[in-house]
Amino acid sequence: MRSPFIALLSLRQRFQLPRILTGLIVSMVCIASVISMMIAVPTRGRAQANGGFPKKTGVLEPGTQHPMSDLHPDAEFPVAGHPDWLGVTDDALWVASSNVNHVVRLDATTNKPDVVIDIAKPCSGLAVGFGSLWIPSCGSHNLLRADAKTGVIQATISASPADSEGGIAIGADSVWLVTLPAGDLVRINPQSNKIVANIPLPKGSFNPIFAGDSIWVSSNDGNALVRVDPTTNKVAGSTPIGAKPRFLAAGEGSVWVLNQGDGSVSRVDATTGKLLATISAGIPGLGGEIAYGGGAVWATVFGFPITRIDPATNKVTQQWTGDGGDSIRFAHGSLWLTFLTGAKVWRLKVPGT
C-alpha cells in the first residue's frame, strides 16, 4: 500500500500546493495515525507493559490514594546499588544490594549506615535469628551466616537459593530455605549449621515463613499456600489463594500473601489454614514485598510504594503512589522502605502509626 505521505507529496507537485499548507496536512495525518495506533493497541499489549500482568490501578476508592511527596522521611540512608531485601535486628536493619555484592547495616539509633558485608549477589531475602544474619547468595550459591551485630562471617552452608525472588525463614528452632525450583525445602540446624531435612514441595514454591507452629510456603506456580509440619517434616496441607502468590508476612494470627498475578492480598488463618479474606489492592506485577507491624499490613510494589491494610476490616485504608519501593518493614517505631532504583532507604513516620 502506498504511503499517505508519498501521496501528499504527489498532490503538492500536481497542484502546486504551498509548502506550508502541505506541512499542515502532513502534521494532521501524523496525529491521526498516532491516535489510530493508540486505539488499536489491544488490552494484552497494554498488560505487557507490566510484565504481562494486569495494569496497576491501586485502590480507586476516593481519599485512599496519596502522592509519595506527602511523606517526609525522618531519615534517608544512602545505599549503593539497588537496595532490596531487609532484615530487622534489635537495634538496626540490614539491607542487601545484590548488584554491588554487599549487605549494609543501618543503625536505628544514629540513622547512619555503618557495617558492610561483602557477599556475592545476596538474594532471596534476609533472616535474623540465633544471634545471626542469614544471607542467601545467588553468586556463590550457598547460605552465609554472619554475626548480627558485627557482620563477621560465622559459617558457609551448602544450600543454594532456588530463586532470586525467594525467601528464607526462622522458626521451630531451625532455618528454612527452598533450594530447588522443583521444590526442595531444606531445614538447617543452627547448632551444627547442617541440613537435617529435605522436604519435597510443589514445583514453583519458593517463599517460606513461620507462623502458628507451621512453615508456610507460597506456591507461585500452584496458586496456593503450602503448609509444612515441622514435627514431621512433611507437607500437611494446601490452601488455594490468589494468582501467582509470592511474598509473605505473619501477624494478627494470620499469614498474609501478596499475589503478584492479580495484585490482591490473601489472608490465611495460621492455625487452621482457612482462607479468611481476599483483599483487592490493585498492585499486580513482579517484585514487591509485604510486611506486618504497627497494627497494619504493609505492601510495596513499583508505582505504589506503600499500601496499608487494616487487619480489623481487611481493607486498604491508605495507598501512596510515586517513586520508591520494593522492600518494606515496620520496625523501631518506623516504616522502612527501600528505593531500589534510587540507591537509598527511607525511614518514615506514616500518619496513624
Side-chain angles (χ1 to χ4, degrees), residues 31-43 46:
I31 293 171
S33 298
V34 171
I35 292 173
S36 176
M37 287 187 291
M38 290 175 66
I39 293 172
V41 174
T43 302
R46 288 195 295 270

Side-chain angles (χ1 to χ4, degrees), residues 10-333:
S10 298
L11 285 172
R12 177 177 178 267
Q13 293 169 354
R14 182 176 179 182
F15 296 104
Q16 296 185 344
L17 296 174
R19 187 180 299 273
I20 293 177
L21 179 58
T22 305
L24 289 172
I25 296 173
V26 170
S27 297
M28 291 174 68
V29 171
C30 288
I31 293 171
S33 298
V34 171
I35 292 173
S36 176
M37 287 187 291
M38 290 175 66
I39 293 172
V41 174
T43 302
R44 182 178 176 185
R46 288 195 295 270
Q48 287 174 348
N50 188 31
F53 293 93
K55 180 181 178 181
K56 297 174 186 175
T57 63
V59 174
L60 300 178
E61 186 174 341
T64 302
Q65 291 188 10
H66 313 276
M68 282 295 291
S69 57
D70 282 357
L71 298 178
H72 304 286
D74 291 335
E76 184 174 287
F77 299 80
V79 178
H82 296 156
D84 194 356
W85 305 101
L86 293 170
V88 179
T89 67
D90 58 2
D91 59 355
L93 268 80
W94 291 87
V95 57
S97 191
S98 178
N99 68 318
V100 292
N101 303 308
H102 66 211
V103 180
V104 183
R105 183 179 181 272
L106 310 179
D107 192 294
T109 301
T110 65
N111 282 332
K112 293 180 180 180
D114 46 29
V115 178
V116 177
I117 310 173
D118 293 324
I119 299 287
K121 297 188 182 303
C123 65
S124 205
L126 296 174
V128 177
F130 314 107
S132 300
L133 177 68
W134 302 80
I135 312 165
S137 168
C138 284
S140 57
H141 304 289
N142 51 29
L143 176 63
L144 286 304
R145 179 179 186 172
D147 186 280
K149 289 188 178 292
T150 67
V152 173
I153 299 297
Q154 300 168 316
T156 299
I157 302 162
S158 296
S160 179
D163 191 276
S164 63
E165 289 289 288
I168 183 169
I170 303 290
D173 298 319
S174 303
V175 181
W176 305 80
L177 179 71
V178 178
T179 59
L180 292 175
D184 181 27
L185 176 66
V186 300
R187 181 175 191 169
I188 299 166
N189 183 333
Q191 306 303 317
S192 64
N193 293 322
K194 301 290 185 182
I195 295 174
V196 293
N198 294 77
I199 303 165
L201 297 175
K203 178 184 176 182
S205 303
F206 300 112
N207 301 67
I209 198 168
F210 179 77
D213 297 326
S214 295
I215 299 296
W216 304 84
V217 188
S218 59
S219 178
N220 193 256
D221 287 358
N223 300 333
L225 184 63
V226 178
R227 183 176 190 171
V228 173
D229 185 346
T231 62
T232 63
N233 288 330
K234 295 181 179 180
V235 171
S238 180
T239 304
I241 50 175
K244 296 291 181 183
R246 177 65 78 165
F247 301 106
L248 309 176
E252 300 286 335
S254 301
V255 179
W256 304 80
V257 190
L258 178 59
N259 301 308
Q260 294 179 319
D262 59 12
S264 67
V265 173
S266 296
R267 181 178 187 175
V268 175
D269 188 289
T271 301
T272 66
K274 180 182 178 182
L275 178 64
L276 300 177
T278 300
I279 303 160
S280 177
I283 50 174
L286 297 175
E289 200 179 26
I290 191 167
Y292 173 82
V297 175
W298 308 90
T300 181
V301 297
F302 293 130
F304 292 85
I306 304 173
T307 294
R308 180 180 186 170
I309 297 171
D310 181 2
T313 61
N314 290 328
K315 291 183 178 181
V316 173
T317 57
Q318 293 171 300
Q319 198 167 53
W320 283 267
T321 65
D323 293 333
D326 204 42
S327 189
I328 196 165
R329 288 288 185 275
F330 192 95
H332 308 296

